[in-house]
Amino acid sequence: MSTATTMHDETGHVPPAEVEEVELYHAKTWLGKYVFSQDAKVIAIQYGCTAIAIGMVGLVLSLMMRLQLGFPNEFSFINPSNYIQAVTMHGMIMVVYLLTALFLGGFGNYFIPIMIGARDMVFPYVNMLSFWIYLLSVLILVASFFVPGGPSGAGWTLYPPQVMLEGTPGHEWGAILMLVSLAFFIIGFTMGGLNYVVTVLQARTRGMTLMRLPLTVWGIFMATILALLAFPALLVSAIMMLFDMLLGASFFMPAIVSMGEQLDHSGGSPILFQHLFWFFGHPEVYIVALPAFGMVSDILSVHARKAIFGYRMMVWAIVAIGGLSFIVWAHHMYVSGMNPYFGFFFATTTLIIAVPTALKVYNWVLTLWRGNIHLTIPMLFAIGFIFTFVNGGLTGLFLGNVTVDLPLSDTLFVVAHFHMVMAVSPVLVLYGAIYHWYPKISGRMFHQGMAQFHFWITFVGSYAIYYPMHYLGLMGVPRRYFSMGSTDFILPSAQGLNEFITIAAIIVGVTQLLFIYNLVWSLFKGEKASDNPWNATTLEWQTATTPPGHGNFGKELPLVYRWPYDYSVPGEDIDFLPQNQPPRGAG
Amino acid sequence: MSESVAQGEHTGGMAGVAADWSSDQRAFKGVPWHKAMMWIFLLSDTFIFSCFLISYMEVRSTTTAVWPSSSEVFALTIMGNSIPLVLIAIMTFILITSSGTMAMAVRFGYQKNKNMTAFLLIVTALLGLSFVGMQAFEWTKLIVEEGVRPWGNPMGAPQFGSTFFMVTGFHGFHVSVGVIFLVITAVKVMRGSYDNERPGFMTGRKGSYQFVETMGLYWHFVDLVWVFIFAFFYLW
Ligand code: HEM
Ligand SMILES: [Cu+2]
């Protein structure tokens, strides 16, 4: 095809349909339409609400930790045990049950079919089961708060032997429930994930080539593949750990003396768990990051009225990051005593992965350059993301080098790194994306003022929280500590910083309630949204109704004539050409 | 993309693959959704089994106690002679045979030969069932006679029992699930669901004999995994 060499990819002709359309199952009852729904969009909202609800629990837990760190021993309801339990549950909830579920189960379900011009996922029934199993896994996780001994207190990394020793809170039931819950999460996710991948590969509309997919779809697609290949390691380690805990096996447990008693275990390898966990754990950070990369690309492009810079490069960077993310896992284990050559290998791959990542950052910035920038709410969040992500990426380079990492490992520096890069950045994109697509999903506009306030507090507040943590980490303040005791190397001024961070965290935390209030308020009181309020090109904005009904499009599926980034095309009267608009003079 | 590809004519080799992947609608031309999904599921499952087997190798090489000798543990005494690995040889033979009957079922399915397809599916299921039965026998023998437990055994390293039960158990679970689905598929074949395109189990999609092939993919995969388990657990 002649346009292959130019980025502006437009064809006048769309190939004929390869397969006839299949009838969707239309539920007749209220229960079938809104509860046990097989419509990917309803499932998406169910996923989203569940994820945000459990995320609020994670938020409260983090404030609990901050209260103790900022004002040590002022609050009697926080003790060393429930402090470390809060650390553990906060981490696991945020990474797996909030971010993974919201990005893939929420945004994936809503936007994959509608952006590629499909009526639904390929197997809607399995897709529905995916949500219910996810909900079950969340309920099991929540149940661990109420069992004797409470939830696990081993840290979100669940390292053995600590996780099952008597001194660790939750070693009785909490850890077991956590592992069972993770196993269910993985099963549920797999059912959804298979759907997402096959839908992208095999169910696109006529004219929709892979190189015409919006980057949002590319990000979610690649993240889903990563998840399908990384979660197996977590599943296996969960099963093995359950063997150790319930059947007295010794996969991960060496011979060990606990509380003055020789335990029955012998000969196991705790390092094996670390390898399995991080073989999952590192791809997991990109499972969260790649959808954010994709969505932020689309938001930047729409609100700068300019094609994304280097679309193909952006796609290949996503693929390259996905591939590389499987061979860097041991950079989390530099202090585990592994062979120095291993450290060298993993430091090298770790630094290599920074190359495609940096490339994406350059392209985002170049997309803004000389764009017609509209500082809308989604755009503010997207630009905020660029700042926080660069910040976290740079500290990643420090940690990626073995010798620099050794003193920084297990300090607040690591906490600052991964919060900038994996917590704040994807969450900013999530907010931006929710504001961006809210008009399509709900049919109404959100309240501008509240959203502005939400952005500025969250963005500035995140810096207030995490910037000082870098200094604390460099000073050597360890992570996951209930209190510092009397240590010479921690200066008294550290306490002042900790207080400051806590106050900032409380302000930011409370502001998130305003966001939820805004969503609910706008649902009833918001201004009615038009079909395409941002003048965007991608297919989800071209639906006949807003919000789109079951089956997404009208009688006919849209035909795709062009790539998703035809903004401000020279010589055109309007500054955007939807993907389903034929070229002038064609047809 | 060129007109010819869109029309469904295929160019072979790398050029064909590139053309398919740069085309619209489908990356794998002519591949039904359930088959594509099965392949991707199996890829994911491969990672599960790889993690299991690699973990097994790791614990086996790091544990300090001696590893029980597989030719002694897995021997059967038949008419007074202790024959190593005899049960496992039969089990392996049965499972490989079932792969053959499965492949024949797929072939008859494409010929729309209802009776033969259903018959061969049932034969495959029965072979699978006898495999699981013999595995149950083997487990019983290990537990009752040899005293192997997940937490220890009289012969040596405690990890011997736990890895064995975990990995063969996980595989046996796969076989059992396969048997159930083989029976379901056979029933659907007999009912004619694939002739009159009735909606499928859990899919809501129109039935077709291609489902038999997708079922076959799973079954062959489970057999293939067994070959690795056999090599790593019984021959090492
Ligand atoms: C420039 C690229 C990056 C490099 C070189 C890098 C490097 C590292 C290293 C070496 C560590 C281990 C530090 C230690 O424990 O001592 C680490 C921790 C971490 N990184 Fe990154 N990283 C990068 C990007 C990312 C991204 C994009 C994410 C997520 C979206 C992420 C999330 C995390 C998390 C969650 C941890 C901590 C896990 C834990 O110990 O609990 N990193 N990073
Ligand atoms: Cu990592």
Side-chain angles (χ1 to χ4, degrees):
Chain A
M1 68 195 183
S2 58
T3 47
T5 45
T6 63
M7 286 305 296
H8 167 75
D9 151 22
E10 171 188 279
T11 43
H13 159 84
V14 169
E18 290 172 13
V19 277
E20 57 183 311
E21 270 203 55
V22 258
E23 187 73 26
L24 288 177
Y25 166 77
H26 293 288
K28 278 163 215 80
T29 59
W30 183 86
L31 217 58
K33 272 189 196 140
Y34 300 105
V35 181
F36 297 98
S37 173
Q38 301 189 20
D39 181 351
K41 295 189 296 301
V42 178
I43 297 173
I45 292 167
Q46 291 172 327
Y47 252 113
C49 293
T50 314
I52 292 178
I54 191 73
M56 294 308 284
V57 177
L59 184 70
V60 170
L61 291 172
S62 72
L63 293 181
M64 185 176 137
M65 298 182 291
R66 276 321 315 176
L67 284 179
Q68 165 62 23
L69 291 177
F71 310 97
N73 305 326
E74 294 274 328
F75 298 93
S76 56
F77 65 94
I78 311 172
N79 57 44
S81 292
N82 64 24
Y83 175 83
I84 192 70
Q85 288 171 319
V87 172
T88 308
M89 296 302 276
H90 164 76
M92 196 60 104
I93 286 175
M94 291 307 196
V95 172
V96 175
Y97 298 87
L98 169 69
L99 290 179
T100 309
L102 189 50
F103 273 119
L104 303 182
F107 282 88
N109 263 316
Y110 206 101
F111 291 112
I112 288 175
I114 204 166
M115 281 187 170
I116 67 169
R119 296 216 179 270
D120 206 324
M121 289 290 178
V122 288
F123 292 114
Y125 185 83
V126 181
N127 203 26
M128 172 191 81
L129 286 184
S130 160
F131 167 71
W132 291 101
I133 298 178
Y134 163 64
L135 184 63
L136 177 67
S137 79
V138 171
L139 293 178
I140 296 175
L141 187 79
V142 171
S144 75
F145 283 104
F146 303 103
V147 292
S152 175
W156 85 283
T157 48
L158 300 176
Y159 277 4
Q162 184 195 4
V163 65
M164 47 192 117
L165 294 185
E166 230 185 300
T168 309
H171 71 101
E172 306 97 330
W173 287 105
I176 294 172
L177 285 180
M178 164 82 81
L179 296 169
V180 172
S181 163
L182 284 171
F184 275 107
F185 181 89
I186 295 167
I187 295 169
F189 169 77
T190 305
M191 297 182 130
L194 293 171
N195 253 314
Y196 315 156
V197 173
V198 178
T199 305
V200 172
L201 287 177
Q202 298 294 88
R204 282 164 283 140
T205 186
R206 293 164 60 192
M208 182 60 93
T209 61
L210 288 176
M211 279 298 176
R212 282 178 181 176
L213 293 178
L215 285 168
T216 299
V217 177
W218 265 110
I220 297 175
F221 173 65
M222 199 62 208
T224 309
I225 294 180
L226 293 194
L228 287 173
L229 303 182
F231 275 125
L234 183 65
L235 180 68
V236 167
S237 50
I239 293 175
M240 291 172 72
M241 188 103 95
L242 285 171
F243 261 67
D244 280 9
M245 297 187 81
L246 297 173
L247 298 175
S250 306
F251 288 122
F252 301 136
M253 294 294 278
I256 203 167
V257 175
S258 162
M259 307 257 169
E261 260 180 72
Q262 172 81 40
L263 299 187
D264 286 336
H265 301 280
S266 78
S269 162
I271 298 290
L272 172 62
F273 178 86
Q274 297 192 12
H275 279 294
L276 286 171
F277 184 87
W278 288 114
F279 185 80
F280 147 76
H282 188 85
E284 169 64 30
V285 306
Y286 283 99
I287 292 167
V288 171
L290 290 182
F293 290 176
M295 296 193 312
V296 84
S297 308
D298 283 351
I299 295 174
L300 287 171
S301 172
V302 172
H303 299 271
R305 314 308 298 160
K306 202 177 146 218
I308 190 79
F309 188 90
Y311 172 76
R312 271 158 205 274
M313 238 195 279
M314 292 299 253
V315 170
W316 288 115
I318 287 179
V319 176
I321 292 173
L324 285 169
S325 69
F326 279 100
I327 48 168
V328 299
W329 78 89
H331 63 213
H332 296 274
M333 300 166 54
Y334 289 151
V335 290
S336 71
M338 61 186 180
N339 187 316
Y341 287 111
F342 261 51
F344 175 73
F345 173 82
F346 283 103
T348 311
T349 52
T350 301
L351 297 182
I352 290 175
I353 206 171
V355 175
T357 312
L359 193 151
K360 294 190 79 72
V361 176
Y362 288 127
N363 284 0
W364 289 321
V365 176
L366 286 168
T367 303
L368 293 177
W369 191 50
R370 306 180 86 182
N372 175 7
I373 295 177
H374 295 241
L375 283 180
T376 55
I377 304 290
M379 189 62 155
L380 289 175
F381 278 99
I383 295 175
F385 160 86
I386 300 181
F387 281 97
T388 56
F389 189 73
V390 166
N391 214 296
L394 289 176
T395 50
L397 293 180
F398 289 79
L399 297 174
N401 287 288
V402 185
T403 40
V404 185
D405 178 68
L406 292 184
L408 290 176
S409 201
D410 278 318
T411 66
L412 287 184
F413 191 85
V414 175
V415 177
H417 157 67
F418 71 74
H419 276 90
M420 284 313 271
V421 85
M422 185 184 195
V424 175
S425 302
V427 167
L428 286 181
V429 176
L430 274 173
Y431 286 139
I434 291 174
Y435 286 122
H436 181 76
W437 279 293
Y438 187 81
K440 180 51 71 177
I441 296 174
S442 70
R444 293 185 185 259
M445 295 304 284
F446 49 85
H447 187 280
Q448 293 281 335
M450 279 194 261
Q452 283 275 355
F453 185 78
H454 176 223
F455 168 74
W456 286 107
I457 299 289
T458 307
F459 179 66
V460 178
S462 300
Y463 267 101
I465 297 170
Y466 295 109
Y467 229 84
M469 272 194 210
H470 292 88
Y471 296 106
L472 292 174
L474 286 170
M475 198 191 284
V477 178
R479 67 192 278 207
R480 295 182 183 168
Y481 273 38
F482 173 72
S483 65
M484 300 307 150
S486 50
T487 339
D488 283 343
F489 64 87
I490 300 175
L491 307 175
S493 62
Q495 191 45 42
L497 271 186
N498 262 329
E499 254 177 68
F500 171 78
I501 295 176
T502 298
I503 292 166
I506 292 172
I507 295 172
V508 172
V510 172
T511 307
Q512 307 315 308
L513 295 177
L514 185 71
F515 162 71
I516 295 193
Y517 177 75
N518 191 354
L519 291 190
V520 179
W521 182 88
S522 307
L523 199 56
F524 300 103
K525 300 273 173 64
E527 201 187 307
K528 276 243 180 308
S530 65
D531 283 339
N532 190 356
W534 312 119
N535 290 341
T537 57
T538 40
L539 293 181
E540 79 275 22
W541 300 104
Q542 322 304 331
T543 55
T545 52
T546 300
H550 190 201
N552 292 347
F553 302 97
K555 260 204 152 46
E556 296 291 325
L557 285 175
L559 304 183
V560 170
Y561 295 93
R562 58 185 75 245
W563 75 319
Y565 299 103
D566 268 341
Y567 291 104
S568 310
V569 178
E572 298 286 342
D573 321 327
I574 41 165
D575 73 344
F576 72 107
L577 302 173
Q579 284 194 277
N580 58 347
Q581 178 166 321
R584 253 194 281 201
Chain B
M1 72 290 330
S2 70
E3 202 75 345
S4 63
V5 174
Q7 242 77 70
E9 281 169 39
H10 284 272
T11 11
M14 279 312 286
V17 174
D20 285 357
W21 279 80
S22 51
S23 78
D24 66 343
Q25 302 178 52
R26 292 184 296 173
F28 301 102
K29 301 292 174 196
V31 175
W33 290 342
H34 51 86
K35 189 167 156 188
M37 196 184 237
M38 182 56 83
W39 270 112
I40 295 164
F41 168 71
L42 293 181
L43 187 65
S44 180
D45 216 12
T46 305
F47 271 62
I48 297 188
F49 276 108
S50 308
C51 289
F52 270 128
L53 288 176
I54 292 170
S55 304
Y56 157 69
M57 292 179 225
E58 211 270 359
V59 271
R60 180 162 171 174
S61 46
T62 52
T63 186
T64 41
V66 290
W67 201 261
S69 149
S70 54
S71 57
E72 283 162 31
V73 183
F74 299 116
L76 268 194
T77 311
I78 301 174
M79 294 185 290
N81 305 316
S82 166
I83 311 177
L85 300 178
V86 53
L87 179 66
I88 216 65
I90 300 173
M91 282 166 71
T92 308
F93 178 74
I94 287 182
L95 208 58
I96 305 276
T97 311
S98 78
S99 247
T101 54
M102 183 72 232
M104 283 157 73
V106 174
R107 187 185 154 77
F108 280 111
Y110 279 121
Q111 291 171 357
K112 299 206 188 310
N113 186 335
K114 225 164 89 174
N115 292 336
M116 277 310 279
T117 311
F119 171 70
L120 283 162
L121 283 170
I122 293 295
V123 172
T124 312
L126 287 176
L127 288 171
L129 202 61
S130 58
F131 175 89
V132 179
M134 291 164 96
Q135 197 169 36
F137 170 75
E138 185 189 35
W139 276 40
T140 319
K141 179 175 164 289
L142 281 181
I143 295 169
V144 177
E145 288 175 25
E146 320 271 351
V148 181
R149 302 283 187 279
W151 54 87
N153 64 70
M155 282 92 68
Q159 283 82 6
F160 172 78
S162 47
T163 46
F164 180 82
F165 291 130
M166 182 176 70
V167 178
T168 59
F170 199 70
H171 178 264
F173 171 70
H174 273 72
V175 179
S176 312
V177 171
V179 168
I180 294 170
F181 276 84
L182 280 169
V183 173
I184 292 174
T185 315
V187 170
K188 291 174 89 62
V189 170
M190 275 323 284
R191 274 205 209 142
S193 310
Y194 296 157
D195 296 306
N196 60 20
E197 307 192 330
R198 218 174 297 157
F201 176 58
M202 294 220 310
T203 67
R205 300 302 183 197
K206 282 181 186 170
S208 117
Y209 279 100
Q210 286 172 319
F211 277 104
V212 181
E213 188 186 344
T214 300
M215 183 65 231
L217 281 178
Y218 176 80
W219 194 256
H220 295 315
F221 170 79
V222 172
D223 284 3
L224 182 66
V225 169
W226 176 254
V227 174
F228 282 92
I229 294 178
F230 176 68
F232 283 119
F233 276 84
Y234 297 90
L235 302 183
W236 178 12

